[in-house]
Amino acid sequence: MPETFTTADPPTADEPLLRWLTQASGDAGLHVATPTSGWNYTSYRDLAVRVKVFAAGLQAQDLRHGDVVTLMVSESEQFVVSFFGCLLAGVTPSTVMPRGLFRKADGYISHVSGILTAADPALVVAGEESQAYAEEAVKVSGLPSPVVTFTAVRESGAQGPPVRVPDDRPPGRTALLQFTSGSSGDPKGVRVSWGALTANVGAIRDWLGLTPQDRFAGWLPLFHDMGLIGQMLTSITSGVDTWILSPEQFIRNPGRWVECFGKYGATITTSPSFGYSYAARRVSPDDLAGYDFSRWRIAILGAERIDPVGVNDFTRLAAPFGFDPHALVGAYGLAEATLAVTGARPADGSPLATAHSTVVEPGSPVGARRDGLLGRDRGTGEHLVGCGRPLSGLVVRVLDDEGAEVPDGALGEITISGTSLADGYVLGDRRRIDFDPAGHRTGDAGFLLDGDLFVVGRIGDGIKVRGAMVFAEDLEAELERVSGTRAGQVAVLLGRSGGCDRAVVLIESSSPERWNDRIGTIVSTVRARTSPEFDCPVYAGRSGAIARTSSGKPRRRVLWRDYLAGGLTDWQLATQEGRS
């Protein structure tokens, strides 16, 4: 076998995920952003040595194969080393959101202790910055799990015998316990088998057509599926150069992300739609002087509803420097499918579509037609973006309420099956729920159009009006348009309480009083899309007040429960419009 992948010998779909540790190259590696403007580089050959030392340190903890090890590590290289160290040592990593990404300090310990209760780890590994949080969360959970620091494990491995690599890893054994981003607020661990993890990474490689000439750059948090599998696992196990920023570094200066493509020749990234529109607002054409984006061949968009207006702003910024909008690749995925489910074909671009109405009964046509190309055409907030076709080994069907498959262009629930489907959940009370291998109903609504998947919204974040579903995401897109807010500053909570259908509108603003003259427009827009009978209170809050999941989606169900309990303490009632 060659020491590293060559152009004639790229990684294949069934490439074992740990083979890179024995074939690691000194010519490619991991670039981690420093706190200032530089990058710390570690070749994959050196990184592999550190992984093996850490794995030996884990084995010195007297763990059994398959034991869960919770990782509370925020520094990027330490995270990479500890995660791959768990896989190599034969234990099951379970990753936790760093404190810095959790919005409310007083809720972090409760959040972590809930995850620990569900995961029941044999060991908790914490970075020095997280040790106190880890110890407190273990105490609250009542578990006997010991807490050790990353440094202690590493030093133990350096002083002890070499790692003992397990003889085999049965495809059905759990490789990863991946907690979903938590829109409901309840801890829910997804059991991802070795077979599913290997299959999904292989499917992503095939979809993207990865070659050794590719270079990956991203800013997503590494503990969650899109950053963990799409950004870290796929790139490192494929042996391609990888640049990683933290989310905080990206927010402070998105130009560092853009620099990876214009200056260092990165070719692939993945980001929510927000990342592109945010970079368009914060980076100026003058900042791009001398950059060349002509090698940037894939820019994946996922994790949230894609905003074609904001993406077009990014294209207008980057196109004069060689960026091709055909590089923009819409995708759909979820932790229950390990990560990726569908994706637009690279170089084809992602289609825009308009629908006559998504407020229809499941199984009814939405009247959709193709209407442009993402990035090239500006579109509106009402446009839906195609998320492509199923990746290899996966099957996507759209079903009505009775479980029957609906025709092309008809609305229904997205259901997935195939080689990347996870085994099931572990819940907060440690109950295990197995997925139906014949098809897992995702709770997402969408439709297929000429083979491409279009995602409308979460079924749990909608309400039926006269037999038809109305989705919060549709209302949010419309309210952003009529109120002049940026994407992500509006959340709509839909539900029924006190015998009344309600649409609670939350708007982030530094000046709540500025919304007073727009309340009538906001309320009339909501009622036009729902019913004149809807109660529609409008609240304003500070920037960042909308509670979000780790992937940036509004935690609508958590916010709805807070509303019912009178717990919207971070919000000011802008005005209350009663029922007509």
Side-chain angles (χ1 to χ4, degrees):
M1 294 292 292
E3 185 175 31
T4 186
F5 301 121
T6 68
T7 304
D9 183 31
T12 59
D14 60 351
E15 188 75 41
L17 296 181
L18 299 181
R19 183 172 292 172
W20 74 274
L21 291 168
T22 59
Q23 299 180 346
S25 169
D27 299 324
L30 179 67
H31 307 251
V32 175
T34 66
T36 54
S37 60
W39 301 83
N40 288 329
Y41 173 74
T42 305
S43 73
Y44 285 142
R45 181 175 295 160
D46 291 340
L47 191 66
V49 171
R50 297 176 191 182
V51 169
K52 293 171 185 176
V53 168
F54 191 86
L58 285 174
Q59 290 187 339
Q61 301 291 323
D62 198 27
L63 300 170
R64 298 171 300 173
H65 289 174
D67 276 349
V68 173
V69 173
T70 295
L71 300 179
M72 294 180 64
V73 179
S74 57
E75 196 281 322
S76 295
E77 186 185 303
Q78 289 185 2
F79 182 94
V80 171
V81 169
S82 58
F83 187 88
F84 278 108
C86 285
L87 296 183
L88 182 61
V91 296
T92 302
S94 173
T95 61
V96 173
M97 178 190 300
R99 165 65 193 92
L101 294 180
F102 199 85
R103 291 177 182 264
K104 294 186 177 181
D106 56 355
Y108 185 63
I109 296 300
S110 176
H111 168 78
V112 175
S113 63
I115 288 177
L116 294 176
T117 299
D120 190 22
L123 184 71
V124 178
V125 176
E128 277 70 10
E129 76 288 345
S130 301
Q131 183 179 3
Y133 294 117
E135 290 173 344
E136 181 63 20
V138 168
K139 181 180 178 181
V140 170
S141 71
L143 294 171
S145 310
V147 176
V148 295
T149 64
F150 173 90
T151 301
V153 176
R154 181 185 61 196
E155 291 177 350
S156 176
Q159 296 167 4
V163 61
R164 305 180 304 279
V165 179
D167 293 334
D168 59 8
R169 291 177 177 80
R173 178 177 291 170
T174 300
L176 165 65
L177 185 60
Q178 180 174 207
F179 280 84
T180 61
S181 52
S183 61
S184 68
D186 300 320
K188 187 183 293 183
V190 179
R191 301 170 358 243
V192 179
S193 70
W194 272 98
L197 187 60
T198 302
N200 204 240
V201 170
I204 294 170
R205 286 171 174 162
D206 281 354
W207 165 44
L208 302 180
L210 275 179
T211 75
Q213 282 68 49
D214 278 312
R215 298 178 177 186
F216 195 102
W219 56 269
L220 299 180
L222 298 181
F223 73 93
H224 190 244
D225 54 7
M226 195 172 179
L228 175 63
I229 296 165
Q231 176 174 285
M232 185 192 88
L233 268 174
T234 299
S235 59
I236 291 178
T237 62
S238 300
V240 300
D241 266 314
T242 303
W243 278 260
I244 291 178
L245 299 96
S246 70
E248 299 94 333
Q249 289 170 324
F250 170 77
I251 293 299
R252 284 197 299 270
N253 182 8
R256 297 189 69 184
W257 175 58
V258 175
E259 177 188 46
C260 295
F261 304 91
K263 184 175 180 180
Y264 302 125
T267 61
I268 301 175
T269 194
T270 183
S271 168
S273 174
F274 153 80
Y276 301 92
S277 58
Y278 183 73
R281 296 196 303 270
R282 293 289 305 275
V283 178
S284 73
D286 290 343
D287 296 329
L288 305 184
Y291 283 7
D292 177 10
F293 295 135
S294 62
R295 290 171 290 182
W296 191 347
R297 70 182 190 90
I298 298 175
I300 302 169
L301 299 99
E304 66 182 14
R305 186 177 181 129
I306 299 171
D307 170 27
V309 177
V311 174
N312 180 256
D313 288 340
F314 178 81
T315 301
R316 292 170 64 185
L317 170 72
F321 302 91
F323 181 78
D324 184 348
H326 288 85
L328 294 163
V329 173
Y332 168 72
L334 64 164
E336 288 81 353
T338 305
L339 173 63
V341 176
T342 68
R345 191 164 61 182
D348 282 359
S350 296
L352 302 181
T354 53
H356 176 69
S357 176
T358 55
V359 185
V360 297
E361 295 183 25
S364 298
V366 298
R369 63 182 178 84
R370 292 175 182 262
D371 187 24
L373 184 76
L374 180 66
R376 184 193 68 192
D377 301 306
R378 189 158 183 80
T380 69
E382 294 185 354
H383 277 89
L384 297 171
V385 178
C387 293
R389 298 170 181 252
L391 273 59
S392 60
L394 284 158
V395 175
V396 173
R397 297 184 298 150
V398 180
L399 308 181
D400 64 17
D401 288 345
E402 305 303 319
E405 198 160 352
V406 305
D408 203 53
L411 186 74
E413 183 175 3
I414 300 167
T415 303
I416 56 174
S417 59
T419 54
S420 297
L421 184 65
D423 290 334
Y425 294 125
V426 174
L427 304 183
D429 56 6
R430 300 185 191 172
R431 282 186 299 123
R432 295 164 69 92
I433 296 177
D434 294 333
F435 295 157
D436 182 353
H440 173 67
R441 301 191 71 147
T442 65
D444 290 324
F447 59 89
L448 293 166
L449 185 65
D450 301 326
D452 284 326
L453 179 67
F454 290 79
V455 182
V456 174
R458 290 288 298 168
I459 291 175
D461 295 325
I463 191 170
K464 276 195 173 183
V465 180
R466 300 186 184 94
M469 286 299 301
V470 177
F471 296 101
E473 288 176 271
D474 280 341
L475 286 171
E476 288 163 0
E478 178 69 6
L479 292 179
E480 287 164 1
R481 184 182 68 82
V482 302
S483 66
T485 58
R486 293 197 298 264
Q489 288 186 303
V490 178
V492 176
L493 317 178
L494 297 171
R496 186 173 179 83
S497 68
C500 178
D501 289 328
R502 302 183 192 275
V504 181
V505 179
L506 307 178
I507 300 178
E508 293 182 349
S509 172
S510 57
S511 304
E513 63 278 359
R514 68 184 288 257
W515 298 105
N516 290 339
D517 61 348
R518 306 186 193 183
I519 295 299
T521 301
I522 291 170
V523 173
S524 62
T525 299
V526 170
R527 287 178 174 163
R529 296 293 294 267
T530 56
S531 163
E533 300 300 316
F534 263 65
D535 190 38
C536 187
V538 180
Y539 290 81
R542 59 175 174 75
S543 178
I546 296 173
R548 297 186 177 278
T549 69
S550 56
S551 56
K553 300 172 186 176
R555 302 180 76 187
R556 298 185 190 91
R557 279 172 278 179
V558 173
L559 289 164
W560 174 254
R561 291 203 298 264
D562 289 346
Y563 168 74
L564 293 181
L568 291 179
T569 54
D570 292 337
W571 297 88
Q572 174 184 334
L573 183 63
T575 190
Q576 171 73 52
E577 289 273 340
R579 286 172 286 172
S580 305

